[in-house]
Amino acid sequence: MTEMLSWQTEEKTLILQGELDYDTLLPLWRQREQLLNGVQFLEVSNLQHIDSAGVALMLHFYHYQRQRGGSMILTGVTDQTRTLIALYKLRDILPCAYTSST
C-alpha cells in the first residue's frame, strides 16, 4: 500500500510529505517548473519513505535550480535520507541540512 505524496510551498520552501518514490512522484514531476519558481529549500523531514527514484528527483530539482541561476538546499534530512544520499555518493553534490537524531 502506497501512501500519497503531497506538497505545499511556503515562501522559498517546497515542503514534501508522505512517500516520494517511483509510484508517487509523477504528479510532482509534472508540476516542477511552476513549483520550483523561487524555491531555495526542499523540506523533506515529513517524508516517511524515499526510494532511488525519489533521490533522483531531488537531485534533478537541485540541478534544475542551478541551471536557472538559483540554488536549492535539502532541509530536514533524516537519517534514512542521509543514508540514501551517502549510498549514492551524493554527499558532495547535493547540499543538505540534517535534522538531529533523537
Side-chain angles (χ1 to χ4, degrees), residues 4-23:
M4 298 299 296
L5 173 66
S6 63
W7 56 87
Q8 65 184 29
T9 304
E10 291 182 8
E11 297 185 20
K12 297 180 180 190
T13 303
L14 178 60
I15 302 166
L16 303 180
Q17 185 169 341
E19 295 188 4
L20 180 61
D21 59 26
Y22 178 80
D23 295 324

Side-chain angles (χ1 to χ4, degrees), residues 16-91:
L16 303 180
Q17 185 169 341
E19 295 188 4
L20 180 61
D21 59 26
Y22 178 80
D23 295 324
T24 64
L25 62 78
L26 189 56
L28 179 63
W29 174 258
R30 288 181 177 154
Q31 297 180 43
R32 70 191 177 280
E33 288 182 32
Q34 178 185 13
L35 288 172
L36 292 175
N37 191 25
V39 166
Q40 295 178 351
F41 304 98
L42 183 62
E43 171 60 44
V44 298
S45 65
N46 294 319
L47 291 172
Q48 285 79 44
H49 173 75
I50 303 172
D51 70 0
S52 59
V55 173
L57 180 81
M58 292 187 294
L59 184 61
H60 174 79
F61 281 6
Y62 168 74
H63 282 291
Y64 182 79
Q65 293 300 76
R66 295 272 317 240
Q67 288 175 338
R68 294 173 28 166
S71 65
M72 177 178 281
I73 298 172
L74 268 62
T75 59
V77 176
T78 62
D79 289 340
Q80 175 195 13
T81 306
R82 181 187 328 207
T83 299
L84 286 173
I85 290 169
L87 285 171
Y88 295 119
K89 301 186 187 301
L90 298 173
R91 270 187 267 181

